[in-house]
Amino acid sequence: MARSTRSEAHNFWLGCGCAGREPLNFVSSLNFDKETSISLERTVETTQPVRASSAGGGWVAPLLVAATATAIVAPMLFLGNASGHDFVFHVTSWLDAARQWHQGVVYPRWAEWANWGFGEPRFIFYPPASWTIGAALGSVLPWRMAPGAFVWLTLVVAGISMWTLAREWLRGSLAIAAALFYLANPYHLVVVYYRSAYAELLAGALLPLLIWSALGVVRGQFRRAVPLAFVFGAIWLSDVPAAIVATYSLCVILMVGCAARRTARPLAPGAAAMAAGFALAACYILPAAWEQGWVQLAQVVSNEVSPLHNFLFTRSNDPDFVAFNHKVSWVALGIMIAAVLAAILVARLRHNFRELWWIFVALGLTSVALMLPITTFLWRTLPKLQFVQFPWRWTEVLAVVFAFFVAAAIGTTQKRTAWLIGIIVVLGICAAGVAISHDAYWDSEDLATAVQAFRSGHGYEGVDEYTPIGCDRSQLPGNPNDTARPAGVSPAAAPLIAMVDATSGAVVPVQGVTLDIQRWSAERKMFRQDSAAPVTLALRILSYPAWQIDVDGHETQPGAQPDTGQILIPLPAGSHLIAAQFRRTWDRTAGDAISALSGLILLGFAWFLRRRTRAS
């Protein structure tokens, strides 16, 4: 066994062109034969995947992946954070979650400081993985470093994930090349610099692992159903649009794989893995599904964010959206062209890849088609597909196809052509990176402003889709930057407790009321009130069914202020103890239990398979 391992390691170093010397650049390290060409007949010697141990890269692949990720985030060291479209949304979520950890709330559900302190159920409807990681990074690092650290870690995961997929089919430096191409593909640069879509980046980093696991199931390695379930669940806990893309991609992989192998056997373990993945993510999916009727979720696919207005090179949208759409469209088009040309070069050896070839072709065609208006009927009819919002998000799947086929194409051509392909791709990625980073919006003040908003107790702007039913966010006081503020709406933050004027019905500062606030945290508020006359208090909380209001130990049904949805509590004269608790609803309890139980079952099943494999 030891001799075999040493031989496999030696074969890898030969494959990298690094035996007995330092590793070289991935293009220059290709192992060319005497005819100055390298063929996939040698790279992929049989119709089965190469053995992982002989296709690995030891520490070389992780080192190159880490170096490439460092190069991508390097501009942040000099220019500050790239403040893309979703930057403020993400960092405020991280800050809010980290603040609640200090209050003892392990899994936040209510974003206390959203909507200028009125709050919103953001953490019920937005998957927890990205804001948990971001809050953890911000808790141990200076906040100004947290976004860059998140991007770096996620890109490293993306590279290792792609390397894990590629090294089963490509040897040595070709697998490393695929990893680097995927890690640094221009769409990732768009996500990092233009969009700051950290959750989508995290989900995309796991996509190659999803494909790797699904391919194992297709090939009859049904033990791969366990990692498939874990990865599928992790993607759903990362980003909803990317998870929907991953779900449909997994269906394509299973269907095409079964057709290519002329058997339906992989469907059962594949479907079981999907079901187990959904169960793992039930702690998020079940509450989000059950409570969606309590918020204005339809806003997530309204107007300019509708898929029908965001196909490639759209002209039927807001001018700002059109301008950005055309930028990302050119990126998607470039990846398409590179993937097609590489696929043509690899096509003559497709028998070496068997089902992998057809699966990647199907994924590529599906991705391209769904970015074009010809698939409008699919966006209208397929379940939940509209929640992807932007059809160009399918570029993430196309990027996996691009990275693999380009790396494989390098291995099919003569030495000079291989060099040329590698140089063109690297220069193209570098040019895209320079152009995108130069065009990005750099503003370190956005993060500093967000931090200050928490320290001052002012809060931050919420989002339409997570706003509770009955609330018009534009009517909420506290937004200092709203130039179209309705008349009578103050830019100053609202007090924690106000009162309703009996004559006008307006919310005004308390008068003739004594208040003793004993506790005011994200999910629990408690105070004592004393007044000589009946009064209706207005709490700085938006009405939401999960809020339970107790007056003197007895649950009472609160009212809501018209337009704003602010919680109102009518009280008789005298002294009263009021408590507001964001209670744990049945759907959250059930979701947590399902996730925990399914996780234990999958771990037990994995342990059983491991023991069975060792015994055999």
Side-chain angles (χ1 to χ4, degrees), residues 354-591:
R354 295 188 63 182
E355 63 277 353
L356 178 70
W357 163 264
W358 295 110
I359 287 172
F360 271 10
V361 168
L363 286 175
L365 291 175
T366 300
S367 301
V368 172
L370 286 171
M371 287 188 268
L372 302 174
I374 58 174
T375 55
T376 295
F377 72 99
L378 293 178
W379 287 96
R380 293 179 185 269
T381 57
L382 289 179
K384 304 301 181 183
L385 185 60
Q386 62 176 332
F387 287 99
V388 174
Q389 295 178 305
F390 308 115
W392 40 258
R393 277 179 164 150
W394 279 89
T395 308
E396 188 72 65
V397 177
L398 186 63
V400 178
V401 179
F402 151 80
F404 185 90
F405 275 161
V406 169
I410 291 176
T412 67
T413 56
Q414 295 182 350
K415 182 175 181 179
R416 291 181 179 177
T417 306
W419 268 87
L420 182 61
I421 293 173
I423 291 173
I424 290 175
V425 172
V426 171
L427 289 179
I429 290 175
C430 291
V434 171
I436 291 171
S437 62
H438 179 74
D439 192 46
Y441 180 66
W442 299 90
D443 186 0
S444 297
E445 292 303 313
D446 280 349
L447 182 53
T449 301
V451 172
Q452 181 58 31
F454 279 84
R455 291 175 177 171
S456 66
H458 195 96
Y460 57 90
E461 188 173 11
V463 292
D464 291 335
E465 56 265 31
Y466 303 148
T467 303
I469 296 293
C471 172
D472 179 358
R473 288 196 312 111
S474 67
Q475 298 290 334
L476 295 173
N479 187 352
N481 302 314
D482 188 0
T483 57
R485 184 181 301 108
V489 177
S490 172
L496 298 180
I497 305 171
M499 63 181 288
V500 177
D501 182 78
T503 303
S504 66
V507 175
V508 297
V510 291
Q511 297 176 358
V513 178
T514 302
L515 296 173
D516 177 21
I517 299 178
Q518 301 174 7
R519 179 173 181 176
W520 198 276
S521 60
E523 297 187 353
R524 185 167 178 79
K525 333 282 185 180
M526 182 178 292
F527 62 95
R528 182 168 292 278
Q529 170 269 345
D530 190 3
S531 64
V535 64
T536 297
L537 297 183
L539 307 190
R540 196 173 72 176
I541 314 172
L542 294 184
S543 179
Y544 190 75
W547 280 109
Q548 176 180 321
I549 307 298
D550 293 332
V551 177
D552 297 328
H554 301 284
E555 184 175 353
T556 185
Q557 185 64 37
Q561 179 74 357
D563 295 331
T564 64
Q566 185 175 4
I567 285 181
L568 303 180
I569 306 175
L571 298 169
S575 178
H576 304 283
L577 180 65
I578 296 95
Q581 175 74 39
F582 195 74
R583 60 186 173 85
R584 189 176 183 83
T585 53
W586 75 267
D587 48 279
R588 282 176 248 153
T589 300

Side-chain angles (χ1 to χ4, degrees), residues 126-195:
Y126 203 83
S130 66
W131 53 257
T132 300
I133 296 173
L137 290 172
S139 298
V140 298
L141 296 172
W143 277 108
R144 66 180 183 277
M145 296 178 60
F150 185 101
V151 171
W152 186 88
L153 287 172
T154 306
L155 290 177
V156 168
V157 172
I160 298 300
S161 176
M162 187 66 203
W163 177 56
T164 301
L165 167 63
R167 68 179 181 160
E168 288 205 345
W169 302 88
L170 305 173
R171 290 191 184 275
S173 57
L174 297 179
I176 297 176
L180 301 185
F181 289 153
Y182 179 68
L183 154 66
N185 81 82
Y187 183 69
H188 278 172
L189 304 180
V190 168
V191 172
V192 170
Y193 289 118
Y194 277 152
R195 301 186 55 229

